[in-house]
């Protein structure tokens, strides 16, 4: 959902003169996205949108040349997962991640950031993370995604 919303934001600002977060929020709501002002604010920050003059002289939100919906801002989280996770498995609607000693907290922050929409919650110890999802299917999908980020070797 976040990815679709952020793609829509880039589409909206490329086609419309949007000056305020409120205008962007209203445009997203009209496009079918239920968003709060704080969500819009976070998206603007993550997409690195800036206010500037377009080619017609309008002062508006524009996409910084480095801003994309790509997952560039999250590369450091992927690196943490790739370098710290030893094993990932699931049981029913729970995912268990085994990490190198002392790394579970860092991996948990990375997983929470990358996959918050797929989880009900997470809990990290020293080398183990427990994640609760809504269903077994979501646990399977999340396990596969984490394994893929880990290099698929686990």
């Amino acid at each position: 959902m976040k990815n679709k919303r952020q793609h829509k934001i880039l589409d909206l600002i490329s086609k419309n003169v949007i000056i305020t977060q409120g205008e962007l929020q209203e445009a997203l709501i009209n496009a079918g996205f239920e968003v709060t002002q704080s969500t819009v604010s976070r998206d603007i920050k993550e997409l690195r949108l800036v206010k500037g003059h377009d080619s017609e002289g309008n002062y508006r939100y524009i996409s910084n040349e480095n801003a994309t919906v790509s997952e560039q801002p999250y590369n450091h989280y992927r690196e943490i997962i790739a370098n710290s996770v030893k094993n990932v498995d699931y049981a029913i609607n729970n995912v268990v991640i085994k990490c190198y000693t002392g790394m579970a907290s860092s991996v948990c922050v990375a997983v929470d950031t990358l996959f918050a929409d797929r989880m009900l919650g997470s809990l990290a110890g020293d080398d183990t993370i427990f994640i609760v999802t809504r269903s077994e299917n979501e646990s399977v999908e999340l396990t596969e995604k984490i394994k893929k980020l880990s290099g698929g070797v686990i």
Side-chain angles (χ1 to χ4, degrees), residues 10 21 25-26 29 64 67 71 80 89 91 97 102 106 113 116 120 122 126 139 154:
L10 292 175
Q21 288 184 12
Q25 179 184 7
E26 184 177 326
I29 290 170
N64 180 333
E71 300 178 348
I80 290 170
D89 209 345
I97 303 172
S106 296
T113 302
L120 290 174
S122 62
D126 190 46
S139 289
I154 53 176

Side-chain angles (χ1 to χ4, degrees), residues 104-128:
S105 182
S106 296
V107 172
C108 194
V109 169
V111 171
D112 284 351
T113 302
L114 295 171
F115 304 110
D117 59 330
R118 298 179 177 275
M119 306 171 5
L120 290 174
S122 62
L123 180 66
D126 190 46
D127 66 353
T128 305

